[in-house]
Amino acid sequence: MSDFTTVRYTVDGPVAWIEMNRPEKRNAQSVPMTYELNEAFDLAARDRDVAVVVLAGAGPHFSAGHDITDPDRYAEPDHCVGTWAGWDAGGAEGRLAREHEIYFDMCRRWRDFAKPTIAAVQGKCIGGGLMLAWVCDLIVAAEDAQFLDPVVNFGIGGVEWLAHPWELGPRKAKELLMTAESWSAQEAASLGMVNHVVPRDELRDFTQRLAEKIASKPRLAVKLVKEAINATLDAQGQTSAMQTAFALHQLAHAHNVIQFGEPLDPSGIPAAVRPKTTKKED
Ligand code: ZN
């Protein structure tokens, strides 16, 4: 159906499944994967037979986050979705352009995707993985799902798409960010972050049935629900708050460069606090 290399795109009835397909990398989000995800969303948008999109991850884990080992991390593609070009600019400019494009603007684009979306999450969902789950309208979690934003350990106050207070409530968001501790699927459900928790081996079928139920409703009405509720979040200040958080995130990157003098490190994480290995547990 497509010649994607990092993403699997399939259609099951009225439901398009966009599956991150780098299980050997715990579905870490590389730059090529970001653009393939975006192309897959566009395919689903243009397919009149697709009413609902599911975003999932192949293998035991949903996503280990952004691929900080990706050698293409600095490579700017020919066609950006936004206008933040010039990723190779010096100072803070290049990183700002790149992260604006591949993290903030991309997440915003998928959050506003004009069909309902469901994230099906199992195993680890870390850092940038949270961003991918959170841009979806609904989240179904397997019982083994575990969520974590660890970036305070790296001298940064949260990932680029700082939806934590909206997803977890401000008090738990502060605790989970300040302590860099993970939370379980059941905790996520109790906080209202996920809609359902299901056994691991039922995740796909449960999510497909939920998507089909939504697909059976009048399609414009479902789209209008999404528009209205996203507009409510915007009226509450979500967009401006997240723009501010993104700017503070860039401040932290710039501080780390000045403080530790490592402008070319692809991880953006100073060696003093960088994990000794990027290998994640199974
Ligand atoms: Zn960043």
Side-chain angles (χ1 to χ4, degrees):
M1 197 153 190
S2 69
D3 54 2
F4 295 136
T5 58
T6 63
V7 166
R8 189 158 56 209
Y9 181 84
T10 54
V11 176
D12 187 351
V15 184
W17 281 75
I18 300 173
E19 210 167 359
M20 293 176 278
N21 195 22
R22 299 179 81 206
E24 74 287 357
K25 293 278 191 181
R26 276 66 165 171
N27 295 322
Q29 187 188 342
S30 59
V31 171
M33 181 193 274
T34 301
Y35 285 91
E36 288 197 346
L37 284 171
N38 193 55
E39 281 182 51
F41 271 112
D42 281 359
L43 269 181
R46 291 192 294 270
D47 186 340
R48 288 171 182 266
D49 293 332
V50 168
V52 179
V53 173
V54 175
L55 178 60
H61 302 290
F62 179 75
S63 176
H66 299 143
D67 189 348
I68 60 174
T69 66
D70 176 16
D72 294 328
R73 191 172 169 83
Y74 285 95
E76 184 176 337
D78 293 335
H79 303 289
C80 291
V81 302
T83 52
W84 282 94
W87 296 10
D88 57 353
E93 187 177 359
R95 189 189 302 276
L96 171 65
R98 187 178 71 249
E99 297 206 346
H100 219 303
E101 161 76 10
I102 62 174
Y103 300 145
F104 196 83
D105 293 351
M106 221 42 117
C107 280
R108 180 78 196 182
R109 191 168 192 271
W110 301 334
R111 181 263 200 181
D112 291 340
F113 185 73
K115 293 180 181 180
T117 53
I118 306 174
V121 180
Q122 82 285 7
K124 300 279 197 279
C125 178
I126 298 174
L130 290 170
M131 294 163 52
L132 295 171
W134 285 343
V135 297
C136 294
D137 299 312
L138 310 182
I139 301 176
V140 180
E143 287 170 341
D144 69 346
Q146 201 176 14
F147 305 91
L148 170 68
D149 183 346
V151 304
V152 76
N153 291 333
F154 313 147
I156 303 172
V159 289
E160 292 83 0
W161 183 256
L162 200 106
H164 310 56
W166 309 88
E167 299 286 351
L168 306 166
R171 204 167 300 282
K172 285 303 284 188
K174 287 175 184 171
E175 179 187 351
L176 292 168
L177 280 166
M178 290 175 179
T179 62
E181 287 186 348
S182 64
W183 62 100
S184 67
Q186 289 295 348
E187 288 170 311
S190 71
L191 293 168
M193 195 202 95
V194 307
N195 297 83
H196 299 279
V197 179
V198 301
R200 173 71 184 86
D201 60 1
E202 294 175 20
L203 179 63
R204 185 173 183 100
D205 288 348
F206 183 94
T207 305
Q208 176 73 19
R209 286 198 301 277
L210 179 59
E212 288 177 359
K213 183 180 287 186
I214 294 169
S216 72
K217 305 300 181 192
R219 294 192 182 182
L220 177 60
V222 170
K223 289 181 180 180
L224 298 182
V225 168
K226 176 168 185 164
E227 283 292 292
I229 293 178
N230 283 354
T232 304
L233 292 169
D234 288 341
Q236 291 172 333
Q238 188 187 55
T239 301
S240 60
M242 289 177 69
Q243 285 170 335
T244 299
F246 179 74
L248 296 173
H249 179 101
Q250 296 306 313
L251 172 69
H253 276 312
H255 171 78
N256 287 341
V257 169
I258 295 165
Q259 189 79 356
F260 299 100
E262 296 181 71
L264 297 180
D265 180 76
S267 69
I269 299 169
V273 293
R274 196 180 311 144
K276 295 289 179 281
T277 171
T278 56
K279 187 175 186 304
K280 303 288 193 300
E281 30 181 316
D282 285 318

